Amino acid sequence: MPAESETTERGLPEALKGLIGLWVLLFAVWLIVNASLALPVVMTGAVISLAIAAIFSRRYGLWQQTALTPGAAYHFLAFASVFFIELVKANVNMLRYVYSPRIDIHPGIVRIPMRLKSPIGRLALANAIALTPGSLVMDIRDDALFVHWLDVKTTDPEQAAAMIAGPFEKHLGAAFG
């Protein structure tokens, strides 16, 4: 019988809770990427998502800390929407730099304090910043990200955090803690 600390309020073991949460996330991504509800696509996605979820939820305990609630799902979808908007804005900004007759950029490394505490939230924030053109996460130390920023607008850590991580942190904090 599992120890009391390893079960949730409803009696589900933490490992099973992590497996289900990760499977739902991976399966949703599969369905979105394939844009099809044909039975072979759905079945293949369910099996592949379950296999990947089983491997990663067992191997890495951070998925067991993630609560799958309607509020968390809402904030994750809101984060995905904000990320998509920021991605489009950053790509348009990159086009402006590329097609400008004179490139006027001020590259540099800025320190951004992180308010997120969960490992999965921190991972999602670092990936969102790294996937946005014009910024790259170089290091994570303690409660700070060190980001290479193509056009540094400010060196103040709080202002830089608001400009780079601000759009993402609110929803990631609500989704993952």
Side-chain angles (χ1 to χ4, degrees):
M1 184 163 185
E4 190 173 329
S5 64
E6 296 176 355
T7 59
T8 61
E9 304 80 42
R10 295 183 184 169
L12 285 177
E14 288 291 328
L16 183 60
K17 178 182 155 189
L19 173 72
I20 292 170
L22 183 56
W23 177 75
V24 167
L25 176 67
L26 292 173
F27 188 53
V29 169
W30 174 272
L31 292 175
I32 291 168
V33 168
N34 281 288
S36 173
L37 292 177
L39 187 59
V41 172
V42 172
M43 294 304 295
T44 303
V47 170
I48 290 173
S49 300
L50 184 60
I52 293 171
I55 292 167
F56 282 96
S57 67
R58 238 186 259 155
R59 190 170 181 120
Y60 302 104
L62 65 103
W63 291 104
Q64 297 171 11
Q65 302 167 3
T66 306
L68 186 62
T69 63
Y74 166 77
H75 282 286
F76 183 76
L77 289 175
F79 159 72
S81 301
V82 168
F83 173 69
F84 180 74
I85 291 167
E86 291 298 319
L87 186 65
V88 169
K89 287 173 27 181
N91 276 293
V92 169
N93 200 27
M94 277 295 123
L95 283 172
R96 187 177 60 83
Y97 289 135
V98 170
Y99 289 113
S100 174
R102 183 174 163 262
I103 298 175
D104 185 29
I105 59 172
H106 304 92
I109 299 170
V110 293
R111 180 186 176 279
I112 297 176
M114 239 187 327
R115 291 164 190 79
L116 300 172
K117 299 300 177 201
S118 77
I120 191 71
R122 289 172 171 232
L123 175 68
L125 177 63
N127 282 329
I129 292 171
L131 289 170
T132 306
S135 59
L136 176 68
V137 176
M138 298 177 59
D139 194 13
I140 301 174
R141 278 192 225 144
D142 301 322
D143 286 338
L145 293 172
F146 291 86
V147 177
H148 181 273
W149 199 4
L150 184 65
D151 194 10
V152 176
K153 308 274 191 246
T154 180
T155 56
D156 177 53
E158 292 300 323
Q159 288 179 347
M163 295 173 84
I164 295 174
F168 309 123
E169 269 191 326
K170 173 187 168 195
H171 295 295
L172 287 174
F176 301 114

